Amino acid sequence: MAGVPVAKWRALMTRPLRSLVVFLLFLASVTVAHAQSGMWGSRGVSRRFVLRDPMLYVADGRGVAVYNTSDPAAITRADVEISDAETRDLALSGNDLLVVAGADGIQRFRVGSGGALDRLSTVAEEGGTLRIAANATRVASGGAKILTMYRREGTDLTLAWELRYDFKVLALAFVGNYLYASIERQGVRVYDVANGREVNTLILDAHGFSLSGSVLWAAVGGSGIFSVDVSDPVNPRILGNAGGGEVNMTDVAVAGTRAFAIQPPDKVYTFDVSSPAEPILVGSRSEPAHVLAAGGTRVFLAGSQFDVYGLTRETGVPVRVYDARNFASLVLLGEAHDLAGPVSGVATDGSLAYVVDPPYLRILDISKTAEPRELSSIVIPEIQDRIRVRNGLAVIYGRGDVNFADVSDPYHPKYLGIYRSTGTPPSNAGILRDTFVEANYASGLHIVDYSVPSNPLQIAGRIWHYLDLVSSDDAVYAILQNELLTLDLTNRHKVVDRQTRAYDSLQVETVPPNSAQPDLLVLRETQDFRIFSLADPFAPAEVATVETKRPGLMGTNGGNIYYEKDGLLWRIDAFDPTVPLETHLHATSAMQISGAGEKLVVADRYSVRIYGPDTEPPPPPPPPQQPPKRRSARK
């Protein structure tokens, strides 16, 4: 950590009284880590299915959900276990244990009657777990560069052996006393589960497995699906192949004489596998498809939607169930419903949270941290991902356009319009004194007059490629490819370059955030944070550097820098920066972090997380106006 030059620090602290107020807010905000927490809008995004008919277990990012599918027309959710670490895969071990691959390692659950789950302790794994498989006595987990085998002892797991690679584990399957592990670029390795000894290799780049009797089916990217005879698991033998030439088949599931494969984002293939040596592709359909399971006469699917830039929107349907008895087509029997999302953006003033929850902009009362409640919502056409709010104006940005809305009345927000930049992601926006600024990687930087909301106009601009920006009343701080650029917008019709500094930065923010005249500017780089005084808003002066390792997404409040790392939030005192401090606040999959006063709010993909003490509630809505009484016209 580089020290803060006294002269620069003194210059910062001799700014107007608001600096002192912000500093006092900061002193109070150190208690955020010890304050209460709340959550709003929990929802899942299906990542992996495991079927024990009629119960379907789903790793859905936020944790694990269990669905009773005995009546496909009326699917019920039997349980949901929310996790503080993102979940990615899951497997059943025997009849009583569910193991889940999470960002924190292996999460364990005892399986009770009716599919209900009882959370047990987590087996920590550095870097988390990507793939998992299990049988009655063993559990295998795969990470970015490691394969680990555990023995079951009751519901506990004891390390048996581990192997390390240069690439990630793509898929796992137990076949008797052997583990089939597909390693990226290295084929399918076959290991003796007792000692980790490799006994054979298949030259297949398998992304998913499905075992049916003595045949192991593998989804092999653009080569389609393969059938492998594993009646002698030490000596596997490839039998047949179908569906080659497709772009990227990522999973396969088999039920009886039918096999199903998915090619994200929106292809489902049906195969006749009555002869494993001669599988036949008999049909396909287009629909969101990223997750797959099959059993009996039914197939289970879920998927996300993607725009032209590959950015996601969720369907709000975590499970769809189909009758698969007709080889050539699938017939929908029923589906489960949940909130969609993702929760991709949030801004807060300490008592209100403005939430991007596509297709809605929602306004929440978060004054009672543990009891957030929705005050209002409006549908925003073509809604973007991130949000900033200042002086009653909300700008929503991220996919190349800017939505803007009047949120001065939190009970009655009004959609105003959309500015089309003709650009592409990544795109960013900030609020100036009487205009807003938008910048993106393709079409440059634009100063936008929105006084006629139906016809927002660019009144000034600057070319080049922009990765992020933040603004005050009259200044814009933008990240280009290898530079931090300071722009003077005192004259709204003329963009003036005031300072260019060479930095390899990822993100920029101010302290306080969304401020007309912020005190500090913060850069997030790959290995550190740089802090600048804005005593002269057009000449940021570096006052400190805080070293850390691979910091994730950041947000600020009145006196702190918060950033995500390995599912937790860390804090840096922006006015007295030393080493980062772990807050023990969780962020499963942070998409935007916003703070004000002592409140911290995270748009966490699967929910809104709220941290900090209770604050003053927003004013109540005005009473409805009574229509004036009409006077009688009679004489």
Side-chain angles (χ1 to χ4, degrees):
M1 190 278 293
V4 182
V6 173
K8 293 182 180 179
W9 200 248
R10 186 177 294 125
L12 169 64
M13 297 312 294
T14 55
R15 291 185 59 178
L17 180 61
R18 61 186 179 82
S19 294
L20 177 60
V21 174
V22 167
F23 188 66
L24 293 175
L25 285 173
F26 146 71
L27 292 176
S29 69
V30 298
T31 63
V32 167
H34 306 287
Q36 56 188 320
S37 63
M39 181 181 291
W40 177 91
S42 172
R43 80 288 306 276
V45 178
S46 297
R47 299 294 183 84
R48 189 73 64 167
F49 291 159
V50 167
L51 178 66
R52 180 173 285 163
D53 217 355
M55 310 308 295
L56 185 71
Y57 298 84
V58 184
D60 66 1
R62 66 173 165 185
V64 182
V66 186
Y67 294 91
N68 186 333
T69 67
S70 54
D71 181 359
I75 299 171
T76 59
R77 194 168 68 190
D79 196 5
V80 60
E81 297 290 333
I82 295 176
S83 171
D84 284 325
E86 194 169 31
T87 53
R88 302 156 171 165
D89 195 3
L90 75 174
L92 285 162
S93 176
N95 296 317
D96 60 341
L97 184 65
L98 180 73
V99 287
V100 180
D104 55 350
I106 301 175
Q107 301 176 22
R108 300 179 303 127
F109 298 86
R110 183 180 287 108
V111 180
S113 59
L117 301 176
D118 178 23
R119 183 182 290 274
L120 305 172
S121 62
T122 296
V123 178
E125 290 194 343
E126 184 178 357
T129 303
L130 299 175
R131 290 288 177 259
I132 200 161
N135 61 19
T137 61
R138 303 271 177 166
V139 172
S141 70
K145 294 184 178 181
I146 188 169
L147 173 65
T148 309
M149 181 67 69
Y150 296 90
R151 294 189 303 272
R152 272 198 63 178
E153 296 179 0
T155 56
D156 293 329
L157 301 181
T158 300
L159 179 65
W161 49 265
E162 66 179 27
L163 300 170
R164 294 187 177 272
Y165 309 93
D166 292 329
F167 303 100
K168 66 181 178 180
V169 177
L170 298 176
L172 297 170
F174 281 95
V175 180
N177 292 320
Y178 295 87
L179 177 71
Y180 282 59
S182 178
I183 312 300
E184 186 180 32
R185 304 185 189 182
Q186 297 187 17
V188 178
R189 306 291 185 89
V190 183
Y191 296 104
D192 186 329
V193 300
N195 51 31
R197 181 174 61 89
E198 184 176 341
V199 297
N200 213 326
T201 302
L202 284 170
I203 308 303
L204 293 175
D205 191 24
H207 294 263
F209 290 128
S210 181
L211 182 63
S212 178
S214 61
V215 177
L216 181 67
W217 293 88
V220 187
S223 299
I225 65 169
F226 282 76
S227 54
V228 182
D229 180 358
V230 291
S231 54
D232 179 1
V234 176
N235 297 294
R237 181 171 58 92
I238 294 175
L239 295 173
N241 166 236
E246 303 302 335
V247 176
N248 187 25
M249 290 192 185
T250 60
D251 206 359
V252 60
V254 178
T257 58
R258 290 167 298 280
F260 308 93
I262 54 175
Q263 176 188 305
D266 58 1
K267 287 290 186 182
V268 184
Y269 299 93
T270 304
F271 298 85
D272 178 351
V273 295
S274 53
S275 172
E278 298 179 348
I280 302 171
L281 175 62
V282 294
S284 66
R285 62 187 292 135
S286 296
E287 61 179 275
H290 294 83
V291 192
L292 171 70
T297 61
R298 302 187 298 175
V299 62
F300 302 81
L301 293 166
S304 301
Q305 297 172 320
F306 287 78
D307 70 6
V308 294
Y309 303 113
L311 302 174
T312 60
R313 286 281 191 260
E314 304 307 333
T315 64
V317 182
V319 179
R320 305 190 304 274
V321 185
Y322 294 86
D323 185 336
R325 285 175 291 187
N326 185 330
F327 275 120
S329 64
L330 300 175
V331 178
L332 181 66
L333 298 176
E335 57 189 29
H337 292 270
D338 202 347
L339 294 171
V343 180
S344 62
V346 68
T348 186
D349 64 3
S351 291
L352 295 171
Y354 306 86
V355 179
V356 180
D357 184 19
Y360 298 99
L361 169 63
R362 303 184 190 272
I363 302 180
L364 309 183
D365 175 0
I366 59 168
S367 58
K368 291 186 177 180
T369 301
E371 300 175 18
R373 64 189 183 97
E374 184 176 333
L375 297 182
S376 60
S377 66
I378 54 172
V379 172
I380 301 287
E382 302 174 72
I383 193 168
Q384 305 289 290
D385 291 322
R386 312 286 187 262
I387 184 170
R388 297 188 196 274
V389 175
R390 183 150 66 94
N391 298 333
L393 176 70
V395 293
I396 307 171
Y397 57 93
R399 300 190 178 211
D401 297 328
V402 179
N403 316 111
F404 50 105
D406 180 348
V407 293
S408 56
D409 178 355
Y411 299 94
H412 303 96
K414 297 176 183 178
Y415 172 64
L416 296 177
I418 186 169
Y419 171 71
R420 301 188 186 280
S421 74
T422 69
T424 62
S427 72
N428 300 275
I431 300 171
L432 298 164
R433 177 169 20 90
D434 51 8
T435 51
F436 64 76
V437 55
E438 189 278 342
N440 64 79
Y441 197 77
S443 66
L445 181 142
H446 317 91
I447 308 304
V448 181
D449 179 348
Y450 62 94
S451 57
V452 180
S454 62
N455 187 30
L457 292 177
Q458 178 182 341
I459 58 174
R462 188 185 189 279
I463 62 172
W464 209 244
H465 309 295
Y466 298 87
L467 300 176
D468 196 15
L469 70 80
V470 68
S471 64
S472 63
D473 260 0
D474 296 303
V476 173
Y477 310 97
I479 296 176
L480 282 73
Q481 289 170 307
N482 296 296
E483 294 177 328
L484 171 65
L485 176 64
T486 300
L487 302 174
D488 183 346
L489 272 299
T490 305
N491 179 348
R492 290 296 186 268
H493 295 272
K494 185 178 181 180
V495 178
V496 179
D497 289 15
R498 294 292 295 269
Q499 187 184 81
T500 301
R501 304 275 293 273
Y503 294 107
D504 186 15
S505 301
L506 303 173
Q507 188 183 356
V508 62
E509 188 53 89
T510 60
V511 177
N514 300 314
S515 173
Q517 292 180 298
D519 293 286
L520 301 175
L521 186 71
V522 182
L523 284 184
R524 175 172 67 91
E525 300 187 296
T526 55
Q527 299 292 335
D528 57 38
F529 289 90
R530 294 181 185 269
I531 302 173
F532 300 79
S533 166
L534 293 179
D536 180 347
F538 301 118
E542 185 173 344
V543 294
T545 301
V546 181
E547 296 179 358
T548 183
K549 293 183 179 180
R550 300 183 303 279
L553 185 76
M554 77 164 168
T556 63
N557 66 3
N560 293 300
I561 304 161
Y562 290 90
Y563 68 94
E564 183 276 333
K565 184 179 179 182
D566 297 330
L568 292 172
L569 295 177
W570 292 69
R571 180 179 66 83
I572 297 170
D573 175 349
F575 286 92
D576 185 17
T578 55
V579 296
L581 301 174
E582 185 179 339
T583 66
H584 304 288
L585 306 180
H586 292 279
T588 305
S589 182
M591 301 190 77
Q592 189 171 15
I593 302 170
S594 179
E598 300 178 59
K599 263 315 182 4
L600 192 69
V601 185
V602 182
D604 206 19
R605 184 179 296 270
Y606 310 105
S607 67
V608 178
R609 291 182 182 264
I610 305 118
Y611 296 110
D614 289 348
T615 49
E616 286 294 319
Q625 294 185 351
Q626 297 294 327
K629 293 183 178 180
R630 297 183 60 187
R631 294 183 178 181
S632 174
R634 296 180 181 180
K635 296 290 186 179

